[in-house]
Amino acid sequence: MAVDYIVIVVYLAGMLAMGWWGMRRAKSKSEFLVAGRRLGPGMYSGTMAAIVLGGASTIGGVGLGYQYGLSGAWMVVTIGLGILALSVFFSARIARLKVYTVSEMLDLRYGGRAGLISGVVMWAYTLMLAVTSTIAYATIFDVLFDVNRTLAIVLGGSIVVAYSTLGGMWSITLTDMVQFVVKTIGVLLLLLPIAVVKAGGFGEMKAQLPTEYFDPLGIGGETIFTYVLIYTFGMLIGQDIWQRVFTAGSDRTAKWGGTVAGTYCLVYAVAGAVIGTAAKVLYPRLASPDDAFATIVKDELPVGVRGLVLAAALAAVMSTSSGALIACATVANNDIWSRLRGAVRGPRGGGGRDGDGHDGDGHDEVKGNRAFILAMGVAVILIAIALNDVVEALTVAYNLLVGGLLVPILGGLLWKRGTAQGALAAVAVGGLAVVGLMAAYGILANEPVYYGLLASLAVYVAVSLATRPTDEATLTAWRERLAGRAPEPQSEPAVPTPQ
């Protein structure tokens, strides 16, 4: 294992080095939180694919392939479909808003009265997403170094917190690009063909396994529908995803770069399911489907290659973890703490700032956001140590996100008649309905997100129609911002767009 250890250590050291490099570049709030809004298509595509394809998509995707065969790809397929829908239909308009958070978008659309409560819901979602990603380090480091769960979480989490705190989005963007390349080589180019060959090829796999393993709908229509509701719609509205859209250098980059990333997700989904199916042939009686990835890597890959593929799994977890962490800290600082202390001046989305990383009261915004990343990172590590059930935590996060925020966000983008009162009612009723139904039906039941979403939609429409329309001045300012005609919230130096 010595060669494998060297590969992993070099990879982790590289992540920290990029955090240090990013710290030298992130001199303003825009640079720190959204990479100056100037990523080119190559870098944008890679980082978008990296953040959505985390440990659940890699280790969990292989596990679903082990359990259900090719139809196990559906979870990651719905993630890819969400990125495609976001990129084609909404990303250009979202990028033109020049905001930092989803709640700032709601403030702009509804007149400054919907942001705080939506910020609390989004913060809870991003926090749990970061926690579940951090828990995944325990599995990987156990395979790598045979260390106990707590030490594994602290080790992996500390590296992510370190490079994220140092350089913000620039560090995360650079590390995500490396992670994207490592995942592509490790999973698609190495593990996939080796697993298929070790299993005897597709002919032998079909001969060894039941026919339902090769049924594209074998996982079940209801399960696929639930994946669409949770993951496809979750990709449309998550702060972690929107914050990547905000980094795009142009409308074209946001649209076509995201389309490439979504297509890549579809390929990755099929690859994970095929690897899991091959693992079922090789190891038909594993204790847990989620052990399939680690087992096939540990037993079937040659020295060196094994280290690279484990680095790919680590990369998958780190990219999602760092993206969720900076999203959590951004929401906590900009949507909750800033509102509570009343320090923000002028319109939401950047007003009252001096261009040097200070707000209207002279606070150093880069330093403040860096402190929030560190604080949220420590909280995430502590919660991850205390929490055991990853699936339940992730389900709670996505149920709250979709049930509480999907309707007011998409309603604001698509329906002129939606009002602030309708949005607030939709967030409150949808969120409470989801929590109550999870208590009644169980956290993993499908009913909470079904009925919570319907309740949110009904309340949003009813309350919006029963209250006065949003005033025309707010809607005019909203349309100007959507069209990209409003002035930049904060001027940035002219720097060539990274590709």
Side-chain angles (χ1 to χ4, degrees):
M1 292 287 289
V3 176
D4 296 327
Y5 290 160
I6 291 171
V7 171
I8 299 297
V9 169
V10 169
Y11 167 76
L12 294 176
M15 297 300 98
L16 292 174
M18 289 185 182
W20 181 261
W21 187 92
M23 181 179 68
R24 298 167 61 88
R25 186 157 191 163
K27 301 300 184 183
S28 70
K29 179 179 180 180
S30 178
E31 295 283 352
F32 190 81
L33 293 182
V34 291
R37 306 187 194 275
R38 46 192 171 85
L39 295 190
M43 191 170 280
Y44 178 86
S45 297
T47 57
M48 180 62 85
I51 188 176
V52 299
L53 295 174
S57 300
T58 304
I59 298 171
V62 171
L64 287 171
Y66 182 90
Q67 188 172 3
Y68 298 105
L70 298 185
S71 67
W74 273 106
M75 184 186 76
V76 185
V77 164
T78 56
I79 291 173
L81 293 177
I83 295 300
L84 286 171
L86 175 71
S87 302
V88 172
F89 298 113
F90 300 109
S91 62
R93 285 186 287 174
I94 291 170
R96 286 196 293 265
L97 290 173
K98 305 296 183 186
V99 295
Y100 293 102
T101 68
V102 174
S103 295
E104 290 180 7
M105 166 263 169
L106 292 173
D107 273 356
L108 284 170
R109 168 59 181 83
Y110 295 112
R113 288 168 288 178
L116 181 58
I117 186 172
S118 64
V120 172
V121 174
M122 189 64 78
W123 174 78
Y125 156 72
T126 53
L127 178 70
M128 294 313 297
L129 185 61
V131 166
T132 55
S133 300
T134 303
I135 291 173
Y137 296 128
T139 300
I140 298 171
F141 278 96
D142 178 56
V143 174
L144 286 173
F145 305 118
D146 193 25
V147 297
N148 68 57
R149 180 179 182 276
T150 298
L151 181 59
I153 290 172
V154 171
L155 178 59
S158 297
I159 292 170
V160 170
V161 172
Y163 73 69
S164 300
T165 301
L166 287 172
M169 187 59 82
W170 268 122
S171 294
I172 292 171
T173 297
L174 293 169
T175 54
D176 277 359
M177 277 305 299
V178 174
Q179 289 157 359
F180 171 75
V181 172
V182 171
K183 279 191 286 193
T184 301
I185 296 173
V187 175
L188 297 185
L189 301 184
L190 293 176
L191 182 57
L192 174 61
I194 290 174
V196 172
V197 169
K198 292 283 187 177
F202 285 104
E204 183 64 20
M205 290 162 64
K206 285 187 175 182
Q208 293 286 335
L209 297 173
T211 56
E212 55 263 28
Y213 264 72
F214 302 91
D215 179 358
L217 303 178
I219 199 170
E222 184 178 357
T223 299
I224 295 170
F225 181 67
T226 303
Y227 284 160
V228 170
L229 278 185
I230 293 177
Y231 296 114
T232 301
F233 287 141
M235 294 300 108
L236 294 179
I237 60 174
Q239 169 68 25
D240 50 326
I241 309 302
W242 277 42
Q243 200 156 342
R244 294 310 171 98
V245 176
F246 299 152
T247 66
S250 67
D251 294 357
R252 183 178 179 84
T253 294
K255 183 175 183 177
W256 297 111
T259 300
V260 171
T263 304
Y264 179 91
C265 291
L266 302 182
V267 174
Y268 200 88
V270 175
V274 171
I275 293 167
T277 305
K280 184 66 175 179
V281 173
L282 295 168
Y283 311 99
R285 293 181 179 84
L286 290 179
S288 168
D290 285 341
D291 293 337
F293 180 89
T295 303
I296 197 170
V297 169
K298 199 171 185 179
D299 293 350
E300 303 297 337
L301 299 186
V303 173
V305 173
R306 178 172 51 207
L308 183 59
V309 173
L310 287 172
L314 196 57
V317 176
M318 283 187 160
S319 56
T320 300
S321 181
S322 59
L325 176 59
I326 193 171
C328 178
T330 302
V331 171
N333 188 16
N334 289 265
D335 293 334
I336 300 174
W337 174 244
S338 290
R339 293 168 194 268
L340 294 177
R341 70 182 174 88
V344 175
R345 298 292 185 259
R348 295 292 297 167
R353 298 176 173 90
D354 63 11
D356 294 321
H358 294 76
D359 64 15
D361 288 345
H363 294 97
D364 184 336
E365 294 200 306
V366 173
K367 184 177 179 180
N369 281 290
R370 185 173 281 134
F372 265 87
I373 291 178
L374 179 60
M376 292 298 104
V378 171
V380 163
I381 291 172
L382 293 177
I383 295 171
I385 291 171
L387 198 64
N388 287 318
D389 199 317
V390 180
V391 176
E392 289 194 356
L394 194 61
T395 301
V396 170
Y398 272 101
N399 281 353
L400 280 173
L401 176 70
V402 174
L405 292 180
L406 179 68
V407 169
I409 292 172
L410 293 188
L413 289 169
L414 299 174
W415 191 38
K416 177 183 175 180
R417 188 60 181 81
T419 66
Q421 294 88 341
L424 287 169
V427 174
V429 171
L432 290 174
V434 163
V435 172
L437 290 165
M438 282 192 293
Y441 287 97
I443 289 175
L444 299 180
N446 293 328
E447 287 85 356
V449 72
Y450 293 169
Y451 300 141
L453 192 55
L454 288 174
S456 179
L457 177 60
V459 169
Y460 178 74
V461 173
V463 174
S464 292
L465 292 175
T467 52
R468 294 181 58 185
T470 306
D471 66 89
E472 192 56 37
T474 297
L475 288 177
T476 298
W478 166 253
R479 286 191 291 266
E480 289 293 303
R481 188 69 77 90
L482 270 182
R485 291 191 293 266
E488 292 282 339
Q490 174 179 321
S491 59
E492 295 294 337
V495 181
T497 301
Q499 297 298 318

